[in-house]
Amino acid sequence: MTNKNRWLIAVSAIAIHLSIGSIYAYSVYQNPLNESLGWETTDVSLAFTIAIFFLGLSAAFFGKFVEKKGPRLSAIIAAILFGIGTVGAGFAIYIENYITFLVFFGFIGGLGLGFGYIAPVSTLVKWFPDRRGLATGMAVLGFGAGALITSPVANFLMNTVTIPMTFYILGIAYFLLILLGGLYIAKPPEGWTPEGMEVEEDNDKEGDLASLKANEAVKTLRFWLLWAIMFINISAGIMLLSVASPMSQEITGATAATAATVVGIMGLFNGGGRIVWASASDYMGRANTFLIFFIIQVAAFFLLPYISNIILFSILLFLIVSCYGGGFACLPAFIGDLFGTKQLGAIHGYLLTSWSIAGVVGPMIVSNIYEFTGSYTTTFFVFVGFLITALVLSIIMKRNISKIREENEEPANPEPSPQ
C-alpha cells in the first residue's frame, strides 16, 4: 500500500465521481421520455428525486461500512449498483414500465450513488492532510462536472441509437469507470504523512478540534450547526438548478435557447466552484468560507427578481451555483477540521442526509410557491430568509470553534466534553 501515488488516488476518485455525477445530466432524458413513452415531466423528475434521496440515505447508513471495509470494496459495490441501476432503467424503458424505471434508476441507482460518493472522499482527506480542501475539491469537481460529459454524450446516443440502448451503453461505461477507479483507491498506511508535512505543521497551523467517532460527533452542537448550514445551502442551490431555465426566461425574457446556454454554463460553475472554493478554504479557513457563501447568496437572491438583464442575471446565478458546489467540496475537509479523520466517512454520510431532504424540499418549495402565485419572486424572498438564518448559524459555528480552541489550550482542562 505504501507504493500508492496519492495523485493517482485523486485521479481514481475523480473517475468515480465523474461517473456518478452523471445524475446531474438527468434533465436530458425528460423530453425524450415524455415524447416516446408519454410519461409526464413530473413523473420523470420523480426518479431523480428518489435517486438523490437514496444517495443521502445510503451514505448515512453505510458510512461506517465504508470506514470498516475500506474504499475499494465500497467503490466496487457502487460500480455494481449504479451500473445495474442505469442498465435496468434502460430495460424499464424498453418494456415501458414506469415503476420498474423508478426502482432501477431511483432506488438501486441511488444506493450506488451513496456508496460512490463517500468512498473516495474520506480516503482523499487522509491522503492530503496538508491540503484537505484541494483534495476533496478535486473529487467532487468530478461530481459537478459529470453532467458536462454525460449530457452531450447521452443526447448524441439517443439521436443515434434507441433510448434503452443509450442507458445500456452508459450503464456499462459507468460500471467500468467506477470499477477501474475503485481497484486502485486505498487508504494510506497508518500514521502516513506526505513529505514536508512536519514543516507545515510547525508553521502555526491549527490542528483538528477533536478526534471523534461518528456516534460522538452527532452529540455535538457543531455537528447540527453544520447539518443545518448544509441543508440551507443545498436547498437554495438545488432549487435554482431545478428551475433555472424557465426562471431565466420569465424574469429576463430570454429565449429558450439562451436559457439552455445559461444552464450549461451553470454546470461549469457548479464544477469549477468546487475546486476553487475548496482550495481557497485551505487558506481562509472553512468557517470563513461558509460565511462568504451566505453573504454572497443573501445579496444575490435579494437582487435576482429585480434584474431583467440576462447577463447580470446569469452572473448572479453562476455565483450562487458556485457556492452550492463549493459547499459540497468544503464539507469533507470541514468534517476533518471539526471531528478528525477517525470516522470521517461515517460522519460525512450522516451529514449527507441534509442533501436527501434538501433535494426534496428545495424543488418542492419553488414549485408550490409558483403554483400559488404564478411568479418566482416570492420564492427568492423565502430563500433570503433561509440564507440569513444560515449566515447567523455560520457565525455561531465560528464562535463555537473559537471557544473550543480556547478550552483546548487551557492546561487545567485536560479533556473538554464534546460541544
Side-chain angles (χ1 to χ4, degrees):
M1 195 174 292
T2 53
N3 63 347
K4 294 280 185 180
N5 183 302
R6 67 174 180 162
W7 293 102
L8 290 179
I9 294 283
V11 171
S12 300
I14 292 171
I16 294 170
H17 271 230
L18 273 173
S19 300
I20 62 174
S22 63
I23 189 69
Y24 275 147
Y26 184 73
S27 62
V28 77
Y29 306 123
Q30 292 211 355
N31 286 340
L33 291 177
N34 173 263
E35 293 165 4
S36 62
L37 301 177
W39 294 351
E40 295 294 331
T41 301
T42 51
D43 293 334
V44 178
S45 298
L46 181 60
F48 173 82
T49 302
I50 293 173
I52 294 297
F53 178 79
F54 277 101
L55 185 163
L57 209 61
S58 61
F61 276 103
F62 296 109
K64 287 186 177 180
F65 175 89
V66 173
E67 289 294 338
K68 184 178 180 181
K69 300 296 183 180
R72 179 177 299 168
L73 178 59
S74 304
I76 292 171
I77 292 172
I80 294 169
L81 289 173
F82 195 60
I84 289 174
T86 306
V87 171
F91 174 72
I93 294 166
Y94 176 73
I95 64 173
E96 301 185 12
N97 190 295
Y98 175 65
I99 300 300
T100 304
F101 181 75
L102 293 182
V103 170
F104 275 107
F105 193 93
F107 174 62
I108 297 175
L111 291 176
L113 285 171
F115 273 99
Y117 192 89
I118 59 175
V121 175
S122 61
T123 303
L124 271 186
V125 171
K126 295 169 184 175
W127 277 103
F128 288 82
D130 50 339
R131 289 290 181 268
R132 284 177 176 168
L134 172 64
T136 57
M138 285 188 293
V140 297
L141 165 66
F143 195 87
L148 292 176
I149 298 172
T150 297
S151 185
V153 171
N155 190 56
F156 169 79
L157 287 173
M158 286 189 291
N159 290 325
T160 308
V161 296
T162 63
I163 299 175
M165 185 59 68
T166 298
F167 277 83
Y168 300 153
I169 293 170
L170 291 176
I172 294 169
Y174 299 149
F175 170 78
L176 293 174
L177 200 56
I178 298 172
L179 185 64
L180 287 173
L183 289 175
Y184 188 82
I185 202 166
K187 290 181 180 179
E190 193 69 34
W192 178 89
T193 54
E195 290 183 24
M197 178 71 177
E198 293 78 13
V199 176
E200 290 195 24
E201 286 181 337
D202 292 338
N203 194 24
D204 297 326
K205 191 167 183 177
E206 294 179 322
D208 301 336
L209 288 187
S211 180
L212 302 181
K213 295 180 179 179
N215 61 349
E216 295 171 331
V218 297
K219 297 175 183 176
T220 64
L221 171 63
R222 59 190 184 274
F223 175 90
W224 293 106
L225 286 172
L226 187 53
W227 192 98
I229 287 167
M230 285 301 300
F231 170 74
I232 294 172
N233 194 58
I234 296 167
S235 295
I238 214 161
M239 179 279 285
L240 275 187
L241 288 169
S242 69
V243 295
S245 178
M247 179 185 285
S248 300
Q249 293 175 61
E250 179 179 307
I251 295 175
T252 69
T255 64
T258 301
T261 302
V262 170
V263 171
I265 299 174
M266 284 175 72
L268 286 173
F269 279 85
N270 184 6
R274 294 172 186 242
I275 195 160
V276 170
W277 283 115
S279 300
S281 75
D282 282 330
Y283 302 95
M284 297 189 299
R286 252 66 72 174
N288 289 332
T289 304
F290 273 90
L291 277 172
I292 294 170
F293 285 163
F294 296 120
I295 290 170
I296 290 173
Q297 290 183 89
V298 166
F301 269 83
F302 182 80
L303 292 172
L304 275 171
Y306 301 109
I307 295 178
S308 58
N309 182 287
I310 185 60
I311 295 176
L312 294 178
F313 189 86
S314 300
I315 289 171
L316 292 179
L317 290 183
F318 300 156
L319 282 172
I320 292 168
V321 82
S322 78
C323 295
Y324 168 76
F328 283 116
C330 292
L331 177 60
F334 207 178
I335 293 169
D337 298 343
L338 298 177
F339 308 110
T341 60
K342 184 184 292 183
Q343 288 193 352
L344 192 148
I347 299 170
H348 191 200
Y350 287 156
L351 283 163
L352 286 179
T353 56
S354 62
W355 193 1
S356 290
I357 300 172
V360 176
V361 171
M364 184 178 69
I365 289 176
V366 67
S367 60
N368 285 336
I369 291 177
Y370 188 82
E371 184 179 336
F372 282 110
T373 66
S375 169
Y376 290 109
T377 302
T378 305
T379 304
F380 287 117
F381 295 128
V382 169
F383 275 93
V384 165
F386 287 153
L387 290 162
I388 289 173
T389 302
L391 180 59
V392 172
L393 293 177
S394 297
I395 294 170
I396 295 172
M397 170 74 88
K398 188 171 171 61
R399 290 181 176 176
N400 183 256
I401 292 171
S402 299
K403 178 184 176 183
I404 296 170
R405 288 203 185 282
E406 288 172 5
E407 290 178 353
N408 287 343
E409 289 170 3
E410 293 177 9
N413 190 8
E415 207 166 304
S417 58
Q419 298 177 43

